[in-house]
Amino acid sequence: MIELVVLDMAGTTVDEHGIVYRALEDSVTDTGASVDAVDLQTWMGADKTEAIAALMELGGVTADPGLVARQFDHFRALLAERYAANPPVALPGVEEALRELKGRGIKVGLTTGFSRDVAGPILETLGWGIGEGQLLDAVVTSDEVAAGRPAPYMIHRVMEVAGVHDVRRVVAGGDTVVDLLAACNAGVHGLGVLTGALGREDLEQHPHSWVLDGVKDLPGVLESALVSR
């Protein structure tokens, strides 16, 4: 019996119109670094400070800590400006799916490569509350743990907050490779979804339990898995 589902935000549960991709790229190219599309996708689900530093180095610019910090501030400013003009919305069927899971007694948590000050306003815009009687039981951001994805720490932190102890009773995932790698490293059931930039073949070559068209399909899959047992 699954007790907890842990999901990524951008591209998995939230449609933020691709703004984070462009803001991340712009914050790196502003330093004079070039950004390869494959590298951008590889680092998309990671902690954004780590992503900026890695992409700068890959693009030929030394990732001086002070410069990285300035570019992260620039990234946040770009996000705030662009989200104000084009607010994020829930992906189709996601909120209904999360409410169905909650109705079955399954806890729901979100993790993200965003920092808390970026994730908070997105959740407020969506009206997704956290805590008793709310849609979400926990939200953990990459600045609240020792390392972001593919490290397992955000998933384990959600388990801690939600009071779930058995990794075999947890599903975690998202739309990027690092989401699946984090789930594998955490020892939980890995979920890939096709609502981001990657296709089925891109995700299925990594450890996973399911690759679905979207989070909207998760309640049906979990119900079928339970019946089959």
Side-chain angles (χ1 to χ4, degrees), residues 123-149:
L123 296 174
E124 289 177 12
T125 297
L126 295 169
W128 291 0
I130 306 167
E132 186 71 27
Q134 301 295 322
L135 181 64
L136 305 173
D137 295 282
V139 174
V140 175
T141 60
S142 59
D143 60 326
E144 297 172 335
V145 292
R149 308 180 189 113

Side-chain angles (χ1 to χ4, degrees), residues 8-10 16 19-25 27-28 40-56 68-69 71-73 75-76 79 83 111-115 118 141-143 147-149 154 175-176 178-179:
D8 170 53
M9 286 181 59
E16 49 80 58
I19 289 172
V20 66
Y21 280 85
R22 295 190 294 274
L24 181 59
E25 181 176 19
S27 67
V28 174
L40 183 62
Q41 175 58 48
T42 297
W43 283 93
M44 188 57 228
D47 172 85
K48 295 304 177 283
T49 300
E50 296 173 6
I52 289 169
L55 290 169
M56 285 173 58
V68 171
Q71 295 314 112
F72 179 63
D73 286 341
F75 165 74
R76 291 191 297 180
L79 279 185
Y83 282 162
T111 61
T112 178
F114 294 146
S115 56
V118 173
T141 60
S142 59
D143 60 326
R149 308 180 189 113
M154 286 197 290
D175 64 302
T176 68
V178 292
D179 290 309

Side-chain angles (χ1 to χ4, degrees), residues 20 22 80 87 169 179 203 205 216:
V20 66
R22 295 190 294 274
R169 296 179 179 272
D179 290 309
L203 294 176
Q205 62 185 297
K216 62 183 177 59

